[in-house]
Amino acid sequence: MEESEATTKKPRSRQCCICKDRRAALKRPKNLEQICRECFYDAFEEEIHKVIVQNQLFKPGERVAVGASGGKDSTVLAYVMSELNRRHQYGLELFLLSVDEGITGYRDDSLETVKRNEIQYGLPLKIVSYKDLYGWSMDEIVKAIGLKNNCTFCGVFRRQVRELIYFVFARPVVSLIPALDRGAALLKVDKLVTGHNADDIAETVLLNILRGDIARLGRCTSITTGEDGTIPRCKPFNFENLDDIDTYAYFKKLDYFSTECIYSPNAYRGFAREFIKDLERIRPRAILDIIKSGEDFRISTTTKMPEQGTCERCGYISSQKWCKACVLLEGLNRGLPKLGIGRTRGRNGQQRDAPQTNGGMKNIGSKQCGTLDF
Amino acid sequence: MHLTLEFGGGLELLCQSVKIHNVDVDSPAGEEKLTMKDLLSWVRTNLIKERPEMFMKGDSVRPGVLVLVNDCDWELSGQLDTTLEEKDVIVFISTLHGG
């Protein structure tokens, strides 16, 4: 990547504490080291490599999908993964996987970025769309239900897209959705990597505490999740600060897209983010320490955890007779879009399972967009 | 003093979607030097057209906004006390967008 001219201009900083030669360009939040750009690239990339090796995230020959939104985290992830795969001979077959929710003015623009990344990094791109999978784009859903609750649909569908990709593409089962069958032979996936960073995880730890969501609190800090029969997915940036990722993307002049989803006010998560950013300013290690706290929580054995079964209609994991996505789709298709939204459940003649002490735990309907479940 | 300001990561949306601004900024009356603190208040008055709270908090940038002076993190040059010089390049990047 080209160097900007500005580096040649009167540096006012100290020497890099690693090479003791070049001038420092940044101070890393995790250890307050003042380092130059080149040493930063090395340190950052090697940290990711270490996480991959220590946690044995991949095996040679695996087909690994990089969840690509066109945003900075996934762009840096795609770039670093393809670099490391080459440099350390992981032997992985990498490709970009994007979900097109069908949001004009947001996803169409960000997908253009992903299409450029496909060429820049030489990674094949696969796009799966809500429209193909469910018959509805988010634009159409918003038109039908308005701007309240739309994040519920998006979040539920997104979570299920992941599983569908796995069940249909990775395991040769009969597809419930014809659109997926058509692409099935082309796309076999062993693992999904996502660009979730330390700030995201810390934020999610806080949100799960604030929501009393013990089941997710236990899972959200794991680097690898979904080994229980769902698609294994991992987060190599688990311990990388957002600021480092942004700085990396800027210095490397990576091509990424930055606009918030036009439908998502996401106020609750926004507060949590602002809060941890305020903490970070006072104490830069705060973010990694919140993750540490999340990892070290022990859940009392007497805590009742939600039971999981499978949806009678589509076979997806569900604690109800029908999974959330099927209930929501049924509502959309019958012109009753409020079906499955909000606190009152118990459609399909079924009981509200479990006493209401853990009512918030399973109410996917109240989840904000952007939970770490994708 | 002639400076180049660059806004990224969505911050450009606050200044009419223009990413790079070539500007002339004078030191405050009675002062010889121009500091980042002076520049921020100038930017807020002259460039930010909407939602200034997305850019600033108190007299500094909002946490989550990276600042680079000549491609060097401003934490290394003294943050608000950084003294600016002719033709400096200052970059502001918001990290608060999804990725």
Side-chain angles (χ1 to χ4, degrees):
Chain A
M1 297 289 140
E2 58 185 339
E3 303 282 304
S4 136
E5 293 165 14
T7 33
T8 54
K9 199 171 174 301
K10 45 180 188 319
R12 277 157 232 178
S13 57
R14 293 186 223 169
Q15 245 173 17
C16 168
C17 72
I18 294 180
C19 66
K20 314 262 192 266
D21 176 23
R22 293 173 291 253
R23 291 277 156 187
L26 72 150
K27 186 155 123 188
R28 301 200 67 195
K30 63 171 60 172
N31 51 20
L32 305 182
E33 276 180 356
Q34 304 194 4
I35 59 179
C36 70
R37 270 202 229 198
E38 287 72 16
C39 291
F40 169 59
Y41 298 154
D42 289 347
F44 182 84
E45 290 159 11
E46 284 313 296
E47 280 163 21
I48 315 294
H49 174 58
K50 225 169 156 183
V51 166
I52 290 172
V53 172
Q54 282 177 351
N55 296 280
Q56 303 176 350
L57 296 188
F58 311 112
K59 292 190 201 78
E62 280 181 337
R63 265 179 68 78
V64 176
V66 181
S69 65
K72 62 207 170 198
D73 300 303
S74 61
T75 304
V76 173
L77 181 68
Y79 176 81
V80 171
M81 280 300 296
S82 68
E83 281 293 306
L84 292 178
N85 191 33
R86 213 179 353 250
R87 190 182 306 161
H88 296 287
Q89 284 129 33
Y90 293 158
L92 303 177
E93 213 179 309
L94 294 171
F95 63 100
L96 303 171
L97 178 64
S98 295
V99 176
D100 180 5
E101 301 92 344
I103 304 175
T104 312
Y106 168 64
R107 189 55 81 207
D108 47 354
D109 292 345
S110 65
L111 284 176
E112 288 308 312
T113 312
V114 183
K115 285 173 191 163
R116 289 196 299 275
N117 294 159
E118 176 182 24
I119 299 161
Q120 288 154 355
Y121 311 142
L123 301 176
L125 166 67
K126 297 286 168 206
I127 300 175
V128 289
S129 76
Y130 282 9
K131 179 74 182 171
D132 285 347
L133 295 174
Y134 301 110
W136 291 78
S137 69
M138 274 312 290
D139 284 343
E140 290 165 345
I141 292 174
V142 168
K143 213 178 262 177
I145 69 165
L147 277 171
K148 222 179 154 200
N149 297 321
N150 59 77
C151 290
T152 302
F153 281 83
C154 194
V156 169
F157 285 176
R158 173 169 290 264
R159 243 164 282 160
Q160 203 172 42
V161 164
R162 185 189 67 216
E163 300 311 329
L164 285 169
I165 290 163
Y166 185 59
F167 283 110
V168 178
F169 293 128
R171 302 173 161 186
V173 294
V174 178
S175 172
L176 299 156
I177 297 160
L180 278 178
D181 277 336
R182 290 198 286 273
L186 300 170
L187 189 70
K188 185 188 152 292
V189 49
D190 295 311
K191 263 169 202 151
L192 174 66
V193 287
T194 58
H196 292 110
N197 58 52
D199 292 51
D200 295 327
I201 319 278
E203 207 175 282
T204 305
V205 169
L206 286 183
L207 289 178
N208 285 334
I209 291 172
L210 295 174
R211 290 169 182 145
D213 194 336
I214 296 302
R216 283 198 173 80
L217 180 61
R219 289 198 294 264
C220 72
T221 54
S222 337
I223 295 184
T224 305
T225 44
E227 283 144 330
D228 48 351
T230 62
I231 183 169
R233 50 196 186 282
C234 44
K235 303 175 287 215
F237 289 172
N238 211 53
F239 302 113
E240 294 303 329
N241 287 86
L242 174 58
D243 287 7
D244 279 348
I245 293 171
D246 265 83
T247 309
Y248 188 92
Y250 177 76
F251 281 159
K252 287 266 187 184
K253 304 279 175 239
L254 300 184
D255 182 6
Y256 67 89
F257 177 80
S258 49
T259 299
E260 211 62 74
C261 173
I262 53 171
Y263 293 141
S264 158
N266 224 342
Y268 205 56
R269 184 168 276 270
F271 279 128
R273 168 137 300 193
E274 189 150 355
F275 176 61
I276 62 166
K277 285 311 239 183
D278 284 346
L279 292 178
E280 186 190 35
R281 178 167 282 186
I282 301 165
R283 202 171 137 266
R285 269 203 63 85
I287 288 179
L288 292 178
D289 286 344
I290 292 171
I291 300 178
K292 178 91 176 77
S293 301
E295 284 173 335
D296 289 348
F297 268 110
R298 290 284 172 276
I299 296 160
S300 145
T301 46
T302 55
T303 303
K304 197 165 184 292
M305 301 298 263
E307 285 168 35
Q308 283 187 337
T310 50
C311 170
E312 281 185 8
R313 193 156 170 253
C314 74
Y316 178 66
I317 42 168
S318 172
S319 52
Q320 311 279 316
K321 191 171 167 187
W322 280 20
C323 74
K324 197 78 185 170
C326 283
V327 174
L328 293 177
L329 264 181
E330 178 74 6
L332 279 174
N333 292 332
R334 282 175 39 196
L336 300 167
K338 294 257 156 57
L339 214 60
I341 298 272
R343 298 201 159 268
T344 39
R345 286 201 313 274
R347 272 184 32 81
N348 309 329
Q350 89 195 86
Q351 305 281 325
R352 281 174 166 235
D353 50 358
Q356 286 315 297
T357 44
N358 64 353
M361 187 182 293
K362 284 186 287 175
N363 191 353
I364 303 174
S366 63
K367 291 269 180 286
Q368 283 280 347
C369 160
T371 53
L372 270 181
D373 263 12
F374 176 68
Chain B
M1 184 181 299
H2 186 78
L3 301 170
T4 302
L5 311 182
E6 188 182 330
F7 295 84
L11 283 177
E12 67 275 15
L13 300 175
L14 308 182
C15 26
Q16 298 172 313
S17 297
V18 178
K19 284 197 175 210
I20 295 175
H21 298 253
N22 290 301
V23 297
D24 283 299
V25 183
D26 295 322
S27 337
E31 300 279 335
E32 277 181 29
K33 295 188 294 186
L34 178 75
T35 64
M36 274 304 293
K37 188 172 177 180
D38 305 325
L39 178 68
L40 286 180
S41 91
W42 186 91
V43 168
R44 182 173 181 156
T45 314
N46 295 282
L47 290 183
I48 304 290
K49 302 294 180 199
E50 55 180 300
R51 292 176 288 164
E53 71 281 3
M54 301 289 284
F55 181 63
M56 289 188 65
K57 187 166 184 174
D59 61 0
S60 190
V61 291
R62 175 182 177 194
V65 174
L66 296 176
V67 184
L68 303 169
V69 179
N70 299 331
D71 270 2
C72 174
D73 190 335
W74 78 329
E75 295 212 15
L76 303 181
S77 56
Q79 295 176 319
L80 287 172
D81 298 327
T82 309
T83 308
L84 297 172
E85 291 170 22
E86 185 68 22
K87 292 193 178 142
D88 274 351
V89 179
I90 300 104
V91 179
F92 302 98
I93 307 170
S94 170
T95 65
L96 298 169
H97 280 294

